[in-house]
Amino acid sequence: MSFPRTKIISMSNGQNKSNPPHVQNRGRKATQAILDASLELAEQSGLDSVTVEGIADYAGVAKTTIYRRWPNVSSILMDAVLSQVNAAAPIEEQSTLRETFAVSMKLLTKLYAGRNGKILRALIGRAQVEESLREAIETRWVEPRRKLARELLRRGMRRGEIRPDLDTDVVLDLLYGAIYHRLLVPYKNGKLNERFVEVLLDAVFGGITVRPGTS
Amino acid sequence: MSFPRTKIISMSNGQNKSNPPHVQNRGRKATQAILDASLELAEQSGLDSVTVEGIADYAGVAKTTIYRRWPNVSSILMDAVLSQVNAAAPIEEQSTLRETFAVSMKLLTKLYAGRNGKILRALIGRAQVEESLREAIETRWVEPRRKLARELLRRGMRRGEIRPDLDTDVVLDLLYGAIYHRLLVPYKNGKLNERFVEVLLDAVFGGITVRPGTS
DNA sequence: CTCATAACGATACGATGCGTAGCGATGTCG
DNA sequence: CGACATCGCTACGCATCGTATCGTTATGAG
């Protein structure tokens, strides 16, 4: 039984388990060097100027070795970033729904302010013209988080914290959409910080219309 | 009085008035052919595969002629799209605040579903790694619309339609952020249509928390 | 109508990166 | 201690970039 000449580790799904068992220490070291190099170079000079040849030089690896694993730069960085980022902004249930999202959204703003966030933002940008990257972001980044967040919203509905007739995806678009809007669509004074998250939650959970209880 | 050898028409601001008067019919035809070609090619095969040489061929124009006007492909498409798009999704006051944004947001979803919308989306994507493009989008697309929308929100506050203590930018991030979120950050079943706009407005203007008046 | 000149078209150039192919060298596993 | 998968290395054709050069053409002032 032989394995296909060209094997793409991931990008298609998150499972590397079916790798050829022959890939051992030597291969792993090269793989890790490539991932590290891609992050380093992307941070230094921006995703657009990261090239396969640049990564190869920096990682001390042959260009062909890279092409044996990934089809392009985007997929390398996707793997490199996701391995670190998925744990950086978890969604964990707190005492109230509002507190749950307050914590999550503040972690998210911190993530995007950091090293990997800059790269992740660039990847979302490139995903607008690269269909396979768009799919990868959906499958490996957005959907897993959405799935969890939807469930938390439903529990909040059952506890009577929010209206039970709402479309959970619409609520998530409200909360996280505002953050991504500031991140991706530029305008003056569109700061992305913890204060913004608080003001935002006030508006969403307090409602934007005038109501009796509001002094 | 002579003009600089290399003159970039726009991208920096929206004013072409200070063009050399010597640029007349011949030059204008070439300019228009370049703009048309860039749109055509971008729609055909995606922004990423649009090249200066490709535009030159398609427009029947020398490559040098293009470089005399624009520094790169992004700025060509920015000019080409904005000349058509700014009028396609205006923000005009309706009888109520909710109706004002309902109309505006539905026009926006239609815009992004169309030919120029696809390109505009790709430009926003590339703006994540191209600083000058980011500035151009902010100055020539987002800020003018924000300025108008903020004013409309303030008038709605004075009329008592929404809470007067809100940050207008946060409200706009809620409304339009949700749309751009669906547009740019992919997830399953994230359709961008008129129905979404209605459901979204229900959630924002109706509030997401449980309130007495809601059956 | 004539002519100076600004702008254009065409061509050539070095540089860079892509993705592939061929091949000898090396580590790894049975 | 072989057999073989994988690696590093070099070389290749191709596309595009952005610039320079130069002959050609349209245009408007006199």
Side-chain angles (χ1 to χ4, degrees):
Chain A
M1 177 192 291
S2 70
F3 292 89
R5 182 69 52 80
T6 311
K7 45 186 127 71
I8 307 308
I9 290 189
S10 40
M11 184 83 180
S12 47
N13 55 38
Q15 314 206 355
N16 302 24
K17 294 182 181 178
S18 60
N19 273 344
H22 314 292
V23 173
Q24 290 301 342
N25 260 337
R26 186 170 52 152
R28 292 198 182 280
K29 289 216 173 185
T31 300
Q32 195 56 47
I34 293 168
L35 291 174
D36 292 345
S38 71
L39 284 180
E40 183 63 28
L41 292 176
E43 191 197 11
Q44 277 181 14
S45 37
L47 183 148
D48 235 35
S49 52
V50 177
T51 73
V52 173
E53 298 189 329
I55 295 176
D57 285 350
Y58 195 94
V61 152
K63 195 168 60 159
T64 41
T65 301
I66 296 181
Y67 279 111
R68 287 185 187 110
R69 291 170 164 74
W70 293 277
N72 53 50
V73 171
S74 303
S75 52
I76 302 174
L77 277 166
M78 188 71 192
D79 284 352
V81 165
L82 276 190
S83 69
Q84 305 190 4
V85 137
N86 260 320
I91 303 180
E92 293 168 338
E93 188 162 33
Q94 311 293 328
S95 55
T96 67
L97 212 48
R98 167 163 176 163
E99 185 60 17
T100 296
F101 286 105
V103 171
S104 161
M105 289 160 68
K106 286 176 183 175
L107 284 176
L108 196 64
T109 60
K110 279 209 188 89
L111 166 64
Y112 278 112
R115 172 192 182 183
N116 293 324
K118 175 187 166 189
I119 302 175
L120 187 51
R121 193 188 109 201
L123 286 174
I124 294 176
R126 179 163 289 188
Q128 307 309 316
V129 292
E130 201 177 312
E131 186 55 36
S132 61
L133 179 57
R134 188 173 176 89
E135 286 180 21
I137 290 178
E138 174 181 318
T139 305
R140 300 173 62 190
W141 169 246
V142 180
E143 268 299 333
R145 298 169 57 81
R146 281 236 165 210
K147 186 178 176 184
L148 184 53
R150 285 190 201 102
E151 177 56 26
L152 293 181
L153 279 178
R154 276 189 228 105
R155 296 171 65 159
M157 287 175 179
R158 286 197 287 270
R159 286 197 306 266
E161 291 188 55
I162 62 170
R163 288 164 48 193
D165 62 316
L166 292 170
D167 181 329
T168 51
D169 276 319
V170 171
V171 177
L172 292 177
D173 283 332
L174 273 183
L175 294 170
Y176 292 98
I179 290 181
Y180 279 97
H181 196 213
R182 291 215 168 185
L183 184 72
L184 302 172
V185 184
Y187 65 92
K188 297 229 183 299
N189 299 326
K191 305 294 179 192
L192 196 56
N193 51 32
E194 296 208 347
R195 172 162 162 67
F196 168 63
V197 172
E198 283 295 339
V199 175
L200 180 61
L201 287 169
D202 278 342
V204 175
F205 280 87
I208 73 164
T209 54
V210 180
R211 45 197 305 187
T214 312
S215 90
Chain B
M1 178 190 292
S2 69
F3 293 89
R5 181 68 52 81
T6 311
K7 44 186 126 71
I8 307 307
I9 291 189
S10 39
M11 183 83 180
S12 46
N13 55 41
Q15 315 206 353
N16 302 24
K17 294 181 180 179
S18 59
N19 273 344
H22 314 292
V23 175
Q24 291 302 342
N25 260 338
R26 188 171 51 153
R28 290 198 184 280
K29 289 215 175 187
T31 300
Q32 196 56 48
I34 293 167
L35 291 174
D36 292 344
S38 71
L39 284 181
E40 183 62 27
L41 292 177
E43 192 197 11
Q44 277 181 17
S45 37
L47 183 147
D48 234 35
S49 53
V50 177
T51 73
V52 173
E53 298 188 329
I55 296 176
D57 285 351
Y58 195 95
V61 151
K63 196 168 60 158
T64 39
T65 302
I66 296 180
Y67 277 112
R68 288 186 186 107
R69 292 171 164 72
W70 294 276
N72 51 51
V73 172
S74 304
S75 51
I76 302 174
L77 278 167
M78 187 73 192
D79 284 351
V81 165
L82 276 189
S83 69
Q84 306 190 5
V85 136
N86 259 321
I91 303 181
E92 293 167 338
E93 188 163 32
Q94 311 293 329
S95 55
T96 66
L97 211 49
R98 168 164 175 163
E99 186 60 18
T100 295
F101 285 106
V103 171
S104 160
M105 289 159 68
K106 285 175 183 176
L107 284 176
L108 197 65
T109 61
K110 279 209 189 90
L111 165 65
Y112 278 112
R115 172 192 182 183
N116 293 323
K118 175 188 166 189
I119 302 175
L120 186 51
R121 192 188 110 200
L123 285 175
I124 294 176
R126 179 165 288 189
Q128 308 308 318
V129 291
E130 202 177 311
E131 185 55 30
S132 61
L133 179 56
R134 187 171 177 90
E135 285 180 22
I137 289 178
E138 174 180 317
T139 305
R140 300 173 62 190
W141 169 247
V142 180
E143 267 299 333
R145 298 170 57 81
R146 281 237 166 210
K147 187 179 175 184
L148 183 52
R150 285 190 202 103
E151 177 54 27
L152 294 180
L153 279 179
R154 276 188 229 105
R155 294 170 65 159
M157 287 176 179
R158 285 197 289 271
R159 287 198 305 267
E161 291 188 56
I162 62 171
R163 288 164 47 191
D165 62 316
L166 292 171
D167 182 327
T168 52
D169 276 319
V170 170
V171 177
L172 293 177
D173 283 332
L174 273 183
L175 294 170
Y176 293 98
I179 290 182
Y180 279 98
H181 197 213
R182 290 216 168 183
L183 184 72
L184 303 172
V185 183
Y187 65 92
K188 297 230 183 298
N189 300 325
K191 306 294 180 195
L192 196 55
N193 50 31
E194 296 207 348
R195 172 161 163 67
F196 168 62
V197 172
E198 283 295 340
V199 175
L200 180 61
L201 287 168
D202 278 342
V204 175
F205 280 87
I208 72 165
T209 53
V210 179
R211 45 197 305 187
T214 311
S215 87

